[in-house]
Amino acid sequence: MTEATSMAVATSALAERGRRHLGPLPLLVVTAALCLFLGLTRENFFSASNLYSLVYGVSIECLAVFAFTYVMVLREIDLSVGAVYALAGVMSGYLLLEGVPMWGAITIALAAAALVGLINGLLVVRLRVNSLMLTIGTMLLVRGLVGVMTTTLRGNTFPRPFRALSREQLFGVNVSIVAMVVLAIAAILFQQRSVLFRHMCYIGENLRSAVIYGVRADRIKVMAFVASSFMAGVAGIYTASRITHADANMGLGMEFTMITAAVLGGASLYGGRGNAAASMLGLFLIAVLINGMAMYDIEPVFQQFVIGALLITTVAADTILKRRG
Amino acid sequence: MQLGSMPLLKRWRLEQEAITFAVVLLLVILLAWGSPAFLDSNNLDSLQTSMAPNMIIAIGMMVLFIVGLFDLSVGAVMGLSGIITALVLSAGYGMGAAIACGLGVGIGIGLINGLLVAVFGINHLIATLGVMYMTRGVIEVLLLGAPLAGFTSFPLAFTMLGNGSIVGVYWMFLFALALVVVGEFVLRRTVLGRRLYFTGGNHDAARLIGIDTKRMQIGALVFSGFMAALAGVLVTARIGMANRYLGIGLEMNIIIACLVGGGSIAGGKGSAIGAMLGVAFISLITNAFNLFEVPSEWQSSVIGAVLVVVVAIDGILLLRKQRVSWQTILGWRSPRRNSATLPAE
């Protein structure tokens, strides 16, 4: 336990210190070192099945963290991702059992997810409300709907074609892994090449001057919120297909894993920077950490503690860096 | 405007509290009219005993709102302090020692929050959230392997703290009301109260006129931890056992109650009376769900919707104060033409 925690603390601090100049390299080194450590001390860590299930699990969350990071770049936050993730998953299952054809159900569920994002985005840009409080509200609202639908479903298993979705393979691996790689490459290209990303950084750095210089901040923000909810919805449907039944606790606390991962990957709560590909790496670090704790037979109750500590440490490092820079 | 010519509610800064009061009154009338069980003594008992701890926590949270912060760890602190009190009691120590330990836990965690936020400058959402996770972890570790309803043998004097009543009114409830009165007095009539409002109203200006804003923030977080612990001790006395699920998800209800009762995320605004009314509102809504037998899954939705509406109204009021026209707020006119709608610094 102490090993894992102190390691996490040391690693994240290290990752933060060098980041300004080295980009996500320290995070990569730390993740690799942790993997190596686990691989050397536990024989089954490097087994193909363990690694594959690790990557597979992370790849689904990566879909959601992609757009989530860009919301953070804009100096907003979307705490409703976990609830929307559950909503899309449970809702598509609900519609399927109501007899809606599969692709229809998926489309409706994704539209519902995007609608939540649209509401978040419009309220944030029109009424200038604090996105933190607002998305806590939408989170509770959506969670309630998820609860109602799960109670109606009573643990029914979803139909076979829907369950088969998550077993779909491409190039010999699950589709979500391919999607993760594609998204990571797209993120890197987007961050290096596109004007839109630079505008997003301006908005996060200084909204007022960005608006004065003609950046369409409102439109970009609404788009980012919609994208964040939509991607969470995609991940949720995929997960629902994977776990084969409706679970009210799906995605509980996911928003905080996302924040931790994004900050590990170089995003800041104060906006203006972020790297979706590195956020995915951050998710890997968290997943490896949890995996390692399981391998060392550490009580699962400690996981909460470690994630809490990791969250505080990364954000503390982010804050101190920000003050110095 | 001359102070004397202002309407009374405005002069006392109780406008939003008055609206909340009206809504609460309306709810009471509707419930009394719609459900015969509402005025039943059982229902009134459970209303009082569920409101009292929440009111106590809400006073602490409202002070935080006033200095421009909030605390997500209150639910977990409440749980931990209740469990510590129960553990110390069952270890054979006296009641005073047990309560002191429980309250000490709250003060300690509040101090950690305060140091993280004011000294290290960590965003208060993240700091208190991380502390919440860690406190919940500690609770699980402490009760590892313990039976669900462990530690039930408390001395009579301790259980009386939570169950004693006089002509149908619980002591606990009277105590909470007294705290509201004291809190309101301190906020309105003392230098300390003034400083709290200044700290939240304009942080930089407050520092420039010589207020130690860091100490105000630490103090407010310690106070909120203390109040949460106090509530935890009282609830443990009321239910008569250590409960590891105590206070889960409570922080959101308290924050919503404070927003409904006139607090603002931006800081510098709020009152103890508002905290009380906000808690009354949330408790009555929950009570209505139970009385009308609405499935409990809907509760979260309704509370979330209330939060969204309150946050939206807060935003609209702020924009109207900056004299932004309704057309711009609702998006009928392009905002980019109008310099008044540029976001504030």
Side-chain angles (χ1 to χ4, degrees):
Chain A
M1 164 66 214
T2 47
E3 247 172 348
T5 329
S6 62
M7 188 123 180
V9 170
T11 55
S12 59
L14 214 111
E16 299 298 324
R17 211 172 295 136
R19 199 179 51 203
R20 189 153 282 255
H21 311 290
L22 300 174
L25 194 62
L27 179 62
L28 192 65
V29 172
V30 165
T31 314
L34 186 63
C35 285
L36 203 63
F37 168 74
L38 286 171
L40 290 178
T41 51
R42 297 279 120 170
E43 69 251 34
N44 44 2
F45 180 76
F46 273 139
S47 71
S49 66
N50 184 48
L51 284 183
Y52 189 79
S53 72
L54 196 77
V55 173
Y56 182 40
V58 169
S59 68
I60 302 174
E61 287 190 324
C62 280
L63 304 179
V65 89
F66 175 75
F68 182 87
T69 309
Y70 294 122
V71 175
M72 279 184 75
V73 171
L74 294 170
R75 203 179 180 167
E76 299 290 347
I77 205 148
D78 183 3
L79 293 184
S80 65
V81 278
V84 170
Y85 170 86
L87 176 76
V90 173
M91 191 175 185
S92 53
Y94 180 79
L95 291 171
L96 278 172
L97 295 179
E98 292 283 310
V100 180
M102 187 171 84
W103 291 105
I106 291 177
T107 313
I108 296 173
L110 284 178
L115 180 69
V116 177
L118 188 67
I119 294 172
N120 281 338
L122 283 178
L123 285 177
V124 165
V125 303
R126 286 270 171 251
L127 305 183
R128 302 266 142 73
V129 298
N130 184 322
S131 55
L132 178 76
M133 275 296 154
L134 177 75
T135 53
I136 287 178
T138 41
M139 172 182 85
L140 291 173
L141 214 165
V142 171
R143 270 272 163 231
L145 295 180
V146 170
V148 172
M149 278 191 281
T150 341
T151 321
T152 326
L153 285 173
R154 289 187 208 290
N156 274 330
T157 314
F158 295 147
R160 183 179 294 277
F162 184 67
R163 279 181 284 154
L165 270 186
S166 64
R167 281 190 240 110
E168 204 74 44
Q169 301 232 322
L170 203 62
F171 310 124
V173 290
N174 285 73
V175 176
S176 66
I177 297 180
V178 178
M180 171 183 72
V181 174
V182 171
L183 277 182
I185 294 169
I188 293 170
L189 288 178
F190 174 65
Q191 281 149 207
Q192 287 182 345
R193 293 290 160 88
S194 91
V195 180
L196 178 60
F197 182 71
R198 221 171 319 139
H199 282 178
M200 288 167 81
C201 289
Y202 294 155
I203 295 171
E205 285 283 351
N206 191 332
L207 178 59
R208 200 179 163 85
S209 51
V211 172
I212 290 174
Y213 281 100
V215 176
R216 298 185 141 186
D218 287 1
R219 187 169 299 182
I220 294 175
K221 276 191 181 176
V222 174
M223 268 165 39
F225 273 104
V226 172
S228 166
S229 288
F230 181 81
M231 293 305 283
V234 172
I237 290 175
Y238 200 84
T239 308
S241 153
R242 187 186 175 200
I243 62 176
T244 71
H245 63 272
D247 179 2
N249 290 330
M250 213 174 126
L252 211 60
M254 179 174 158
E255 48 280 355
F256 300 117
T257 319
M258 299 266 145
I259 296 178
T260 315
V263 175
L264 276 172
S268 164
L269 286 174
Y270 306 96
R273 52 201 173 89
N275 179 348
S279 303
M280 296 182 188
L281 201 55
L283 278 180
F284 263 103
L285 178 62
I286 297 171
V288 171
L289 203 62
I290 290 177
N291 189 266
M293 286 172 63
M295 293 205 151
Y296 271 94
D297 285 333
I298 295 162
E299 289 293 338
V301 291
F302 270 115
Q303 285 180 12
Q304 268 192 341
F305 192 87
V306 170
I307 290 185
L310 194 65
L311 185 66
I312 291 191
T313 329
T314 46
V315 174
D318 173 48
T319 309
I320 292 163
L321 241 157
K322 161 101 182 165
R323 211 187 289 158
R324 235 194 268 143
Chain B
M1 195 193 274
Q2 280 284 304
L3 207 60
S5 66
M6 274 187 181
L8 187 71
L9 287 174
K10 191 163 185 172
R11 198 192 321 157
W12 284 89
R13 288 179 294 132
L14 282 174
E15 284 164 303
Q16 193 168 346
E17 283 82 347
I19 297 172
T20 314
F21 181 65
V23 173
V24 166
L25 212 61
L26 192 70
L27 268 176
V28 170
I29 293 169
L30 280 179
L31 281 172
W33 176 66
S35 166
F38 177 68
L39 290 175
D40 188 75
S41 71
N42 268 331
N43 189 50
L44 289 182
D45 281 1
S46 77
L47 252 183
Q48 284 179 42
T49 48
S50 70
M51 269 177 72
N54 289 2
M55 269 158 64
I56 294 172
I57 302 178
I59 297 170
M61 187 72 87
M62 194 57 113
V63 170
L64 279 175
F65 267 75
I66 289 171
V67 298
L69 301 173
F70 54 84
D71 180 357
L72 293 179
S73 67
V74 283
V77 170
M78 177 186 182
L80 184 62
S81 79
I83 285 166
I84 294 284
T85 311
L87 284 176
V88 175
L89 268 180
S90 58
Y93 292 95
M95 198 173 102
I99 294 177
C101 285
L103 297 181
V105 166
I107 293 174
I109 296 178
L111 196 61
I112 294 174
N113 280 329
L115 292 178
L116 286 174
V117 170
V119 178
F120 294 103
I122 300 176
N123 179 302
H124 54 278
L125 163 82
I126 301 293
T128 56
L129 184 86
V131 168
M132 173 190 102
Y133 275 130
M134 287 160 56
T135 311
R136 283 269 165 232
V138 171
I139 291 177
E140 291 296 335
V141 173
L142 275 179
L143 292 186
L144 210 58
L148 193 59
F151 313 108
T152 47
S153 53
F154 296 147
L156 183 67
F158 183 69
T159 41
M160 277 309 278
L161 277 183
N163 292 303
S165 63
I166 179 165
V167 287
V169 184
Y170 278 78
W171 291 347
M172 190 161 125
F173 190 68
L174 288 176
F175 179 61
L177 285 180
L179 284 178
V180 169
V181 173
V182 173
E184 193 65 33
F185 177 79
V186 172
L187 285 176
R188 280 177 189 278
R189 284 278 177 257
T190 64
V191 180
L192 175 66
R194 263 298 100 94
R195 286 185 177 159
L196 289 170
Y197 281 107
F198 284 155
T199 304
N202 189 334
H203 194 266
D204 294 330
R207 209 167 42 211
L208 286 177
I209 61 169
I211 294 172
D212 189 344
T213 50
K214 276 190 183 171
R215 196 192 292 175
M216 288 292 140
Q217 289 182 332
I218 296 177
L221 280 162
V222 170
F223 179 65
S224 135
F226 171 78
M227 294 298 257
L230 190 60
V233 171
L234 286 175
V235 172
T236 306
R238 161 77 184 157
I239 59 179
M241 63 174 204
N243 180 354
R244 71 179 73 183
Y245 300 114
L246 186 62
I248 288 185
L250 184 74
E251 50 279 347
M252 281 306 138
N253 280 358
I254 301 287
I255 287 178
I256 295 166
C258 287
L259 285 173
V260 171
S264 166
I265 312 159
K269 198 165 157 290
S271 65
I273 293 179
M276 177 185 77
L277 291 171
V279 168
F281 173 76
I282 297 285
S283 302
L284 286 172
I285 294 263
T286 317
N287 197 230
F289 275 109
N290 298 335
L291 290 176
F292 296 122
E293 290 169 11
V294 181
S296 64
E297 292 87 29
W298 286 104
Q299 289 192 14
S300 162
S301 276
V302 169
I303 289 181
V306 169
L307 180 58
V308 171
V309 169
V310 169
V311 170
I313 291 176
D314 197 37
I316 291 174
L317 288 180
L318 210 66
L319 286 176
R320 288 294 297 159
K321 213 190 248 171
Q322 295 161 359
R323 305 196 182 282
V324 177
S325 68
W326 278 109
Q327 283 99 322
T328 315
I329 293 175
L330 297 173
W332 294 337
R333 201 167 56 195
S334 171
R336 266 168 287 123
R337 304 260 172 271
N338 188 346
S339 66
T341 61
L342 273 179
E345 289 289 344

